[in-house]
Amino acid sequence: MSTTVLVLAAAGVFTAGAALAVTAVAAPRERPARRGTAEAMLGLLPQPRQSRRADLRLAGVTPHAYAAQRAAGLAGGLAVGAVAAALWTHTPVAAVLTVALVTVAGWQLPAQSVRDAARRARAELDQVVRLWIVLAAQQVSAGTDPETAMLSAAGVGRRAGWKLLHQHLQRAQNERRPAAEGLAELVERYSLTSLTAAVGAFELAARRGTRMADAVLAAADNLWRDTLGREREAAERRNQIIVLPATAVALALAAILIYPPFVSLTGGIITQAP
């Protein structure tokens, strides 16, 4: 049995290596004249799609590091799967399934980790932009110029999301472009789809050169209402998670308390066989 498992594991490793080699050869790539061997090998790996690139930026992982992580996860999954198959399986079919499942898990683990990190970072950045628009609207209401208010409001925070927002707005200002364009670049770069409507209103007002203050105030009002709606929906989901188990426990306790007296009053008809 152990020989069969080792043969299957070796075949899996060979197949995975061949697949990676074929993918690397077929993928479009550049070949700079001078660079390190490790960097050149990483450059042969296929590049992630655009949506995955946004997740990688939010997670703080470079495409080369991500490709290396997935390759390591694939190799580690094959190795762990082979060991698990040798120790706990007794048939070739079970061994093949074990190796395949653990290999797939090892391949998907880095991707899932990046998605989770990007989801948390995107939610935080989304909240930062929403709060920033409200702060900018407050300054606009006080009579501050919209461009000045937008840049000033971005400088109040000290966390990474605030610094990232401030960098994009500052870059647009340094290039003598409207701050709204810097916001649009931020939203597009990190796929903040929930802010597309507000950013579109900012860009339209900036291009026309008029009513920018109204656009800021309207966006702040709409986003504030949307944020309250999201929080209300989240609270309702949390209440459902708490209420349903509590209701089930209450019903179970009621059944436990009511059942013995009921059986006693009926003379044990329920528990007696006919």
Side-chain angles (χ1 to χ4, degrees):
M1 178 57 202
S2 60
T3 304
T4 303
V5 172
L6 291 175
V7 170
L8 290 173
V13 173
F14 176 79
T15 303
L20 286 174
V22 171
T23 305
V25 171
R29 57 189 183 274
E30 297 179 358
R31 294 191 176 183
R34 296 180 180 178
R35 62 179 178 178
T37 304
E39 185 180 354
M41 293 179 65
L42 288 174
L44 296 176
L45 296 172
Q47 297 300 312
R49 58 184 182 274
Q50 187 63 31
S51 60
R52 184 58 53 83
R53 285 180 177 272
D55 289 347
L56 292 175
R57 294 189 192 102
L58 286 167
V61 180
T62 64
H64 285 171
Y66 176 69
Q69 289 174 7
R70 299 209 76 179
L74 178 66
L78 281 170
V80 173
V83 172
L87 294 176
W88 293 301
T89 60
H90 302 285
T91 63
V93 174
V96 171
L97 290 176
T98 300
V99 173
L101 289 175
V102 178
T103 300
V104 171
W107 172 254
Q108 291 296 333
L109 186 60
Q112 186 61 44
S113 177
V114 166
R115 281 194 294 268
D116 291 341
R119 187 184 306 112
R120 292 191 297 269
R122 186 173 284 112
E124 179 181 355
L125 190 56
D126 181 275
Q127 293 176 356
V128 165
V129 175
R130 288 170 182 269
L131 180 57
W132 163 75
I133 290 177
V134 172
L135 295 176
Q138 291 177 349
Q139 295 189 32
V140 169
S141 298
T144 307
D145 177 71
E147 293 288 328
T148 304
M150 294 168 72
L151 192 62
S152 175
V156 300
R158 293 294 178 267
R159 301 188 64 176
W162 288 97
K163 293 180 179 178
L164 188 62
L165 173 61
H166 189 269
Q167 288 173 3
H168 279 77
L169 298 179
Q170 186 69 58
R171 184 183 303 116
Q173 186 185 59
N174 293 339
E175 296 173 357
R176 300 183 181 278
R177 296 183 293 127
E181 292 188 10
L183 178 62
E185 292 170 358
L186 175 71
V187 169
E188 181 180 0
R189 180 177 177 83
Y190 297 104
S191 300
L192 304 176
T193 55
S194 63
L195 301 172
T196 303
V199 173
F202 281 3
E203 285 188 298
L204 181 61
R207 283 198 299 269
R208 291 179 176 177
T210 58
R211 306 182 66 83
M212 188 64 188
D214 291 344
V216 173
L217 294 173
D221 183 64
N222 293 334
L223 289 179
W224 183 252
R225 294 176 184 273
D226 182 59
T227 301
L228 291 178
R230 289 186 176 190
E231 292 180 354
R232 190 178 299 111
E233 292 177 359
E236 291 176 355
R237 287 195 296 268
R238 288 194 296 268
N239 290 336
Q240 291 177 356
I241 293 174
I242 295 173
V243 169
L244 291 178
T247 304
V249 171
L251 292 175
L253 289 174
I256 293 172
L257 294 174
I258 294 173
Y259 182 75
F262 182 76
V263 172
S264 177
L265 291 173
T266 57
I269 296 175
I270 296 178
T271 58
Q272 292 178 359

